[in-house]
Amino acid sequence: MKEAAAGLGHLLVFAFLFCVGAFMVAPVITDVTMAALCPGQDQCSLAIYLTGLQQAITGLGALVVTPVVGNLSDRYGRKALLGLPATLSIVPLAILAFNQTRPYFYAYYVAKTLTAMVSEGAMMCLSLAYVADKVPEAQRAAAFGVFSGACTAGFVAGTIATRFLSVSSTFQVATLAAIAAVVYMRAFVQETDRGESLLRDEEASLLLFAPSSSAEELSPRLPPLRKASSLSETAALLTSSSTFTRAAVITFFHSLGEAGLQTALLYFLKAQFHYTKNQYANLLLIIGITGSFSQLTMMPLLAPKIGEQKLLVVALLGSCVHGFLYSIAWSFWVPYLAASCVILSILVGPCIRSIVSKKVGPSEQESAQLPMSYLP
């Protein structure tokens, strides 16, 4: 695992910086939205509708755009295409860094909706494919957990910084962090060989230690996949294996619930308990710290011992408890208790990605990870 971590070191730093910039604005964006759309009010239906519409458009757009970006990464390399979502993510941050009045908010809204179609799905998809290119199959569960932990650590760092910054300064610092992520990625992240070296090592190991007739039994694989260049081919990919189908169903319903919760939660807390920027930051810090601890320690320790399938069941149960506690919150402290359940629910994504990753060869990692890239 140490060798794998060394090969991913620069990617982890890039992911950390990217998440600092992306998530630093989370505690303040609710107040900015409310001030722009419904000044002086604690309740604003328009803000909730616009946020939900933005997530719907972004999700549908990413479903179309991400396979195209993935195809280009097979041709031009993971690193080359990682620069696209990272660079586009700067634009909406820079708009609100300049001004947060209503016209600038609408400009931000349009820019965020358009750029997120590329930056959100493609960023995670390409990063996961990069990890799979660099890490042997036996170590991928831990590697996906470490990568997710680095992202969550960036989330924590950005949230802590927000507590000590004004609203306008928050967007300015977030913009600088996003720019630093692009510069660092261009300077230090190395291009992969799309898993060719891992495939050669695996084939050599099979030839050396196993009879040729039992090679497939030792490492069952799906047939090579065509590049997913359309929605129909993506659908064919999902139905090519019962494992893929089940993973896609879990991903869909889990993401549906999480998206609905995230869309309304912060507005609910503001209307019900009059949360402010600092209280949002406290809530997000609990989520980030427990999530980082879980992915950096629990995932590498538990996945090899009990297996990704059993750990996935535990994580899904934690996710149900997480949402249920929010729904019955009767006091301002209950959401903090609910946030602690993230220690289990955050493991849903790494578990599913690891299960799917083991079902395909190195050259098909991007296509396999595409349907799972919408997990939180």
Side-chain angles (χ1 to χ4, degrees):
M1 185 62 205
K2 291 182 178 179
E3 294 179 1
L8 297 176
H10 291 307
L11 178 72
L12 297 179
V13 174
F14 160 68
F16 174 83
L17 291 173
F18 178 87
C19 291
V20 167
F23 294 116
M24 183 181 291
V25 302
V28 300
I29 193 62
T30 301
D31 288 337
V32 170
T33 303
M34 295 284 289
L37 300 178
C38 304
Q41 300 181 32
D42 283 340
Q43 300 184 33
C44 185
S45 299
L46 178 60
I48 299 176
Y49 294 146
L50 287 179
T51 303
L53 178 63
Q54 183 181 63
Q55 289 196 349
I57 295 174
T58 296
L60 292 174
L63 189 63
V64 176
V65 173
T66 305
V68 177
V69 176
N71 281 339
L72 294 175
S73 77
D74 290 330
R75 180 178 301 178
Y76 299 108
R78 312 292 190 217
K79 175 184 175 179
L81 269 296
L82 269 174
L84 177 62
T87 302
L88 289 177
S89 68
I90 298 172
V91 177
L93 295 174
I95 293 174
L96 287 186
F98 185 77
N99 202 310
Q100 292 93 44
T101 57
R102 180 175 294 186
Y104 286 92
F105 172 80
Y106 281 119
Y108 159 84
Y109 181 85
V110 173
K112 177 67 174 177
T113 302
L114 296 176
T115 59
M117 293 180 187
V118 178
S119 61
E120 293 188 359
M123 171 63 188
M124 184 59 70
C125 181
L126 293 173
S127 297
L128 293 173
Y130 188 103
V131 173
D133 287 348
K134 287 283 190 178
V135 180
E137 178 183 303
Q139 301 176 354
R140 281 182 196 155
F144 287 146
V146 170
F147 174 78
S148 298
C151 294
T152 309
F155 174 88
V156 171
T159 304
I160 292 175
T162 302
R163 286 189 57 87
F164 303 100
L165 297 171
S166 65
V167 173
S168 59
S169 298
T170 297
F171 285 99
Q172 293 167 1
V173 175
T175 303
L176 292 176
I179 294 173
V182 175
V183 173
Y184 185 92
M185 187 271 295
R186 290 293 186 186
F188 297 107
V189 175
Q190 300 298 314
E191 185 59 85
T192 74
D193 58 4
R194 265 80 84 195
E196 292 180 2
S197 60
L198 290 179
L199 184 60
R200 288 195 299 269
D201 292 343
E202 182 178 323
E203 289 175 346
S205 179
L206 287 173
L207 290 174
L208 183 61
F209 297 108
S212 59
S213 61
S214 62
E216 288 299 319
E217 297 177 3
L218 292 175
S219 182
R221 299 246 185 240
L222 294 177
L225 303 172
R226 295 187 302 164
K227 300 298 183 291
S229 58
S230 68
L231 292 179
S232 60
E233 291 182 339
T234 300
L237 167 64
L238 295 179
T239 57
S240 63
S241 163
S242 60
T243 299
F244 270 4
T245 302
R246 290 193 294 266
V249 170
I250 294 172
T251 298
F252 173 79
F253 285 107
H254 178 72
S255 300
L256 180 65
E258 288 294 318
L261 181 65
Q262 294 169 10
T263 298
L265 178 61
L266 299 185
Y267 297 107
F268 164 75
L269 295 177
K270 188 172 187 66
Q272 188 75 12
F273 304 116
H274 307 288
Y275 270 34
T276 62
K277 174 177 76 75
N278 288 341
Q279 289 170 307
Y280 288 140
N282 292 337
L283 182 69
L284 295 175
L285 275 176
I286 294 174
I287 294 174
I289 291 173
T290 55
S292 294
F293 171 79
S294 179
Q295 292 175 111
L296 292 173
T297 59
M298 291 182 63
M299 183 73 185
L301 289 175
L302 296 179
K305 293 182 179 180
I306 68 175
E308 291 91 341
Q309 289 87 351
K310 293 181 180 178
L311 188 57
L312 176 60
V313 173
V314 175
L316 289 170
L317 289 175
S319 181
C320 294
V321 174
H322 178 219
F324 178 73
L325 286 176
Y326 280 130
S327 69
I328 63 170
W330 62 87
S331 180
F332 74 94
W333 59 267
V334 178
Y336 296 133
L337 176 63
S340 64
C341 294
V342 168
I343 196 169
L344 294 176
S345 63
I346 198 72
L347 298 179
V348 172
C351 287
I352 291 181
R353 290 161 187 154
S354 178
I355 292 169
V356 169
S357 177
K358 291 180 179 180
K359 289 297 181 180
V360 297
S363 61
E364 287 86 41
Q365 288 298 324
E366 185 278 327
S367 296
Q369 293 297 338
L370 167 61
M372 315 307 153
S373 62
Y374 307 104
L375 281 164

